[in-house]
Amino acid sequence: MQTGRGLFITVEGGEGAGKSTNIACIADFLESHGVELVVTREPGGTRLGEEVRNVLLRVRDEAVAPMAELLLLFAARAQHVQQVILPALAAGQWVICDRFTDASYAYQCGGRGLPASAVRTLETLVQGELRPDYTLLLDAPVETGLERVRGRGELDRFEQEQLAFFQRVRDTYLQLARESSGRYHLVDASQPLPEVQARLREICEELYACWRPRHQVRS
Ligand code: Z5A
């Protein structure tokens, strides 16, 4: 982490883990401490990225090759990194991103079976040295998350996958959390929302306390 730079925090988890709900709570908490931040998401975060998102999520009558899916995700990511993430971090803002490259390891490698080397190659090409400073993994049993999402109505192309796919995604996230335990904060997202949010506020408080002494924060 460079001095003067904002923090890059990614929020990951399976379907219905509560990423969107909890990012709103994290953003409120940080803003109340005077942290300037950008909240964004993947796929998406730019006009181009949001168009790619629509292409990726739309239900289609042809199978999408896993490598085509991965390349589309990284095309959107390249635009997002250059247009949004790097400029915000350089300006000292925090970036809170709803999913990032760990989702490609979880979904395209764990879920679809692509080799991790494909993601590693694209990660280096597209991001250079940019990696998240911290990752909050909202973890819940697959059935719990799917139940929450399926109550919402129409399912997108990913949400129509089978249970075994989502189980592989979850297992991959948990493996990433074990391998990068310094970066990952694992949060039990099956708990009631107030408890999940209390834990997230605690984590943000710790991150903020480490970051603040090196930075000017408006009162
Ligand atoms: N994808 C990929 O394959 N590879 C990549 O590299 C990237 C993405 C970046 C779209 O992502 C898809 O892109 C995604 C993976 C793929 N697959 N799918 N599907 P997305 O993040 O936009 O989609 P999502 O994961 O499906 O997000 P979501 O459905 O919006 O889930 P969420 O944001 O985690 O949950 P939520 O909307 O905050 O909460 C869902 C409901 O549960 C809502 O009614 C909440 O009030 C409720 N909730 C949340 N927490 C709780 C608790 N603790 N208790 C009770 N109820 C709760």
Side-chain angles (χ1 to χ4, degrees), residues 186-208:
L186 184 61
V187 175
D188 180 356
S190 68
Q191 296 296 306
L193 203 47
E195 290 173 32
V196 175
Q197 299 197 332
R199 178 66 194 124
L200 287 169
R201 278 193 291 271
E202 258 173 35
I203 294 170
C204 289
E205 188 90 59
E206 283 169 28
L207 301 184
Y208 177 70

Side-chain angles (χ1 to χ4, degrees), residues 101-212:
T101 301
D102 287 344
S104 301
Y105 284 108
Y107 284 80
Q108 281 62 53
C109 302
R112 306 269 192 235
L114 287 176
S117 57
V119 175
R120 274 197 297 272
T121 300
L122 290 164
E123 186 175 36
T124 303
L125 190 68
V126 165
Q127 297 167 220
E129 291 185 353
L130 176 72
R131 299 290 182 277
D133 296 306
Y134 297 101
T135 297
L136 311 180
L137 175 58
L138 300 178
D139 177 63
V142 167
E143 294 83 352
T144 306
L146 287 177
E147 207 172 293
R148 290 177 189 165
V149 167
R150 291 189 169 149
R152 237 169 18 193
E154 224 169 280
L155 302 178
D156 67 34
R157 195 172 60 81
F158 288 93
E159 289 165 351
Q160 292 190 352
E161 287 294 338
Q162 301 298 308
L163 207 63
F165 173 88
F166 296 115
Q167 194 57 57
R168 292 196 298 276
V169 168
R170 183 184 186 203
D171 292 345
T172 308
Y173 270 132
L174 290 171
Q175 190 186 330
L176 289 170
R178 281 192 296 274
E179 287 167 2
S180 307
S181 55
R183 166 165 71 92
Y184 262 84
H185 289 269
L186 184 61
V187 175
D188 180 356
S190 68
Q191 296 296 306
L193 203 47
E195 290 173 32
V196 175
Q197 299 197 332
R199 178 66 194 124
L200 287 169
R201 278 193 291 271
E202 258 173 35
I203 294 170
C204 289
E205 188 90 59
E206 283 169 28
L207 301 184
Y208 177 70
C210 293
W211 177 85
R212 188 177 177 193

Side-chain angles (χ1 to χ4, degrees), residues 2-174:
Q2 291 165 246
T3 307
R5 172 188 177 280
L7 281 191
F8 181 28
I9 299 179
T10 56
V11 182
E12 300 279 359
E15 278 52 39
K19 296 179 306 302
S20 317
T21 310
N22 288 305
I23 284 174
C25 156
I26 293 170
D28 283 350
F29 175 80
L30 291 171
E31 278 170 350
S32 74
H33 283 65
V35 175
E36 288 185 34
L37 52 91
V38 171
V39 175
T40 186
R41 69 172 181 181
E42 290 213 349
T46 64
R47 286 205 302 280
L48 177 71
E50 292 295 325
E51 286 182 35
V52 175
R53 178 186 180 90
N54 290 336
V55 169
L56 282 163
L57 297 193
R58 192 183 315 139
V59 177
R60 4 186 111 250
D61 57 10
E62 66 177 348
V64 177
M67 187 55 82
E69 186 174 273
L70 181 68
L71 291 171
L72 283 166
L73 284 157
F74 267 96
R77 186 162 294 141
Q79 183 74 7
H80 194 207
V81 166
Q82 293 305 319
Q83 190 178 316
V84 176
I85 299 176
L86 289 177
L89 294 174
Q93 296 175 314
W94 288 33
V95 174
I96 313 292
C97 192
D98 187 341
R99 297 193 185 280
F100 194 62
T101 301
D102 287 344
S104 301
Y105 284 108
Y107 284 80
Q108 281 62 53
C109 302
R112 306 269 192 235
L114 287 176
S117 57
V119 175
R120 274 197 297 272
T121 300
L122 290 164
E123 186 175 36
T124 303
L125 190 68
V126 165
Q127 297 167 220
E129 291 185 353
L130 176 72
R131 299 290 182 277
D133 296 306
Y134 297 101
T135 297
L136 311 180
L137 175 58
L138 300 178
D139 177 63
V142 167
E143 294 83 352
T144 306
L146 287 177
E147 207 172 293
R148 290 177 189 165
V149 167
R150 291 189 169 149
R152 237 169 18 193
E154 224 169 280
L155 302 178
D156 67 34
R157 195 172 60 81
F158 288 93
E159 289 165 351
Q160 292 190 352
E161 287 294 338
Q162 301 298 308
L163 207 63
F165 173 88
F166 296 115
Q167 194 57 57
R168 292 196 298 276
V169 168
R170 183 184 186 203
D171 292 345
T172 308
Y173 270 132
L174 290 171

